[in-house]
Amino acid sequence: MKPQHPLFSKVALTGDLPQYHLKRGDIATIVEHYSMPESQEDGYSLEGFDVPQITIEVTASQIMPLSDYLREEAILSKFRNLSEHRQKQLEEYLDFLLQKDKTTPVN
Protein backbone atom coordinates (compact mmCIF):
# COMPACT_ATOMS: atom_id res chain seq x y z
CA MET A 1 0.00 0.00 0.00
CA LYS A 2 1.30 3.44 -0.94
CA PRO A 3 1.83 5.82 2.00
CA GLN A 4 -0.77 8.57 2.28
CA HIS A 5 1.99 11.06 3.11
CA PRO A 6 5.42 10.84 1.42
CA LEU A 7 8.56 10.33 3.48
CA PHE A 8 10.40 13.53 4.43
CA SER A 9 7.35 15.69 3.76
CA LYS A 10 6.32 18.40 6.21
CA VAL A 11 3.09 17.79 8.10
CA ALA A 12 1.08 19.50 10.84
CA LEU A 13 -0.65 17.83 13.75
CA THR A 14 -4.45 17.73 13.49
CA GLY A 15 -4.86 17.75 17.27
CA ASP A 16 -3.02 18.21 20.54
CA LEU A 17 -0.69 15.53 21.91
CA PRO A 18 -0.47 16.59 25.56
CA GLN A 19 1.77 13.66 26.52
CA TYR A 20 4.46 15.24 24.31
CA HIS A 21 3.50 18.88 25.01
CA LEU A 22 2.56 19.31 21.34
CA LYS A 23 -0.36 21.30 19.97
CA ARG A 24 -2.54 21.20 16.86
CA GLY A 25 -0.58 22.82 14.04
CA ASP A 26 2.87 21.90 15.32
CA ILE A 27 5.03 21.02 12.33
CA ALA A 28 7.29 18.02 11.81
CA THR A 29 8.88 15.88 9.10
CA ILE A 30 7.84 12.31 8.32
CA VAL A 31 10.83 10.00 8.73
CA GLU A 32 9.13 6.59 8.60
CA HIS A 33 5.90 5.00 7.34
CA TYR A 34 4.32 1.87 8.86
CA SER A 35 1.83 0.04 6.64
CA MET A 36 -0.99 -1.55 8.57
CA PRO A 37 -3.72 -4.03 7.60
CA GLU A 38 -6.77 -2.48 5.92
CA SER A 39 -8.71 -2.53 9.20
CA GLN A 40 -6.16 -0.21 10.86
CA GLU A 41 -4.67 3.20 10.12
CA ASP A 42 -1.14 3.47 8.79
CA GLY A 43 1.40 4.91 11.19
CA TYR A 44 4.17 7.48 10.82
CA SER A 45 7.25 8.51 12.76
CA LEU A 46 7.76 12.26 12.98
CA GLU A 47 10.77 14.37 13.92
CA GLY A 48 11.54 18.06 14.10
CA PHE A 49 9.16 19.58 16.66
CA ASP A 50 11.92 21.96 17.74
CA VAL A 51 12.90 19.18 20.12
CA PRO A 52 16.20 17.57 19.12
CA GLN A 53 16.40 13.79 18.89
CA ILE A 54 12.73 13.16 19.67
CA THR A 55 10.70 10.84 17.43
CA ILE A 56 6.92 10.64 17.80
CA GLU A 57 4.69 7.90 16.37
CA VAL A 58 1.25 8.94 15.10
CA THR A 59 -1.56 7.55 12.97
CA ALA A 60 -2.44 8.93 9.55
CA SER A 61 -5.47 10.81 10.92
CA GLN A 62 -3.27 12.71 13.40
CA ILE A 63 -1.40 14.56 10.65
CA MET A 64 -2.16 16.58 7.54
CA PRO A 65 0.02 18.02 4.78
CA LEU A 66 1.49 21.35 5.84
CA SER A 67 -0.03 23.07 2.78
CA ASP A 68 -3.55 21.95 3.84
CA TYR A 69 -3.00 23.20 7.38
CA LEU A 70 -1.76 26.59 6.17
CA ARG A 71 -4.78 26.88 3.85
CA GLU A 72 -7.17 26.09 6.73
CA GLU A 73 -5.49 28.68 8.94
CA ALA A 74 -5.72 31.34 6.22
CA ILE A 75 -9.45 30.65 5.80
CA LEU A 76 -10.04 30.73 9.58
CA SER A 77 -8.16 34.01 9.85
CA LYS A 78 -10.45 35.57 7.24
CA PHE A 79 -13.51 34.14 9.01
CA ARG A 80 -12.41 35.61 12.36
CA ASN A 81 -12.11 39.06 10.76
CA LEU A 82 -15.74 39.05 9.61
CA SER A 83 -18.49 40.71 11.64
CA GLU A 84 -20.74 38.39 13.65
CA HIS A 85 -23.51 38.97 11.13
CA ARG A 86 -21.28 37.98 8.19
CA GLN A 87 -19.96 34.94 10.09
CA LYS A 88 -23.54 33.74 10.59
CA GLN A 89 -24.32 34.29 6.88
CA LEU A 90 -21.22 32.35 5.89
CA GLU A 91 -22.08 29.47 8.24
CA GLU A 92 -25.59 29.28 6.75
CA TYR A 93 -24.17 29.29 3.23
CA LEU A 94 -21.68 26.56 4.09
CA ASP A 95 -24.52 24.46 5.55
CA PHE A 96 -26.42 24.98 2.29
CA LEU A 97 -23.40 23.86 0.23
CA LEU A 98 -22.84 20.80 2.41
CA GLN A 99 -26.48 19.80 2.07
CA LYS A 100 -26.29 20.31 -1.69
CA ASP A 101 -23.20 18.09 -1.87
CA LYS A 102 -25.11 15.31 -0.12
CA THR A 103 -27.99 15.44 -2.62
CA THR A 104 -26.08 16.11 -5.85
CA PRO A 105 -24.84 12.99 -7.66
CA VAL A 106 -21.12 12.86 -8.42
CA ASN A 107 -20.32 12.72 -12.16
Side-chain angles (χ1 to χ4, degrees):
M1 173 185 247
K2 183 178 182 253
Q4 180 178 349
H5 305 285
L7 287 179
F8 307 112
S9 62
K10 296 276 187 192
V11 294
L13 293 176
T14 59
D16 296 346
L17 296 176
Q19 67 273 33
Y20 300 111
H21 308 290
L22 297 171
K23 302 272 187 211
R24 181 186 189 284
D26 283 346
I27 299 167
T29 303
I30 294 175
V31 295
E32 190 64 59
H33 170 249
Y34 308 102
S35 293
M36 302 299 280
E38 284 189 37
S39 62
Q40 297 177 341
E41 281 189 89
D42 282 1
Y44 294 89
S45 290
L46 307 177
E47 291 182 356
F49 290 107
D50 295 329
V51 183
Q53 304 190 1
I54 296 290
T55 302
I56 308 282
E57 276 84 32
V58 297
T59 60
S61 64
Q62 291 178 293
I63 56 176
M64 66 181 355
L66 181 57
S67 59
D68 291 355
Y69 175 76
L70 294 173
R71 183 170 180 256
E72 276 187 14
E73 285 301 306
I75 291 168
L76 285 172
S77 176
K78 291 175 185 177
F79 179 80
R80 290 181 190 115
N81 286 318
L82 293 172
S83 67
E84 261 187 68
H85 176 70
R86 292 289 186 218
Q87 286 182 7
K88 182 70 176 157
Q89 284 181 320
L90 181 56
E91 287 179 60
E92 290 170 358
Y93 183 63
L94 289 171
D95 287 341
F96 166 77
L97 291 176
L98 289 169
Q99 190 62 31
K100 190 168 181 153
D101 268 359
K102 289 180 185 176
T103 59
T104 304
V106 177
N107 293 332

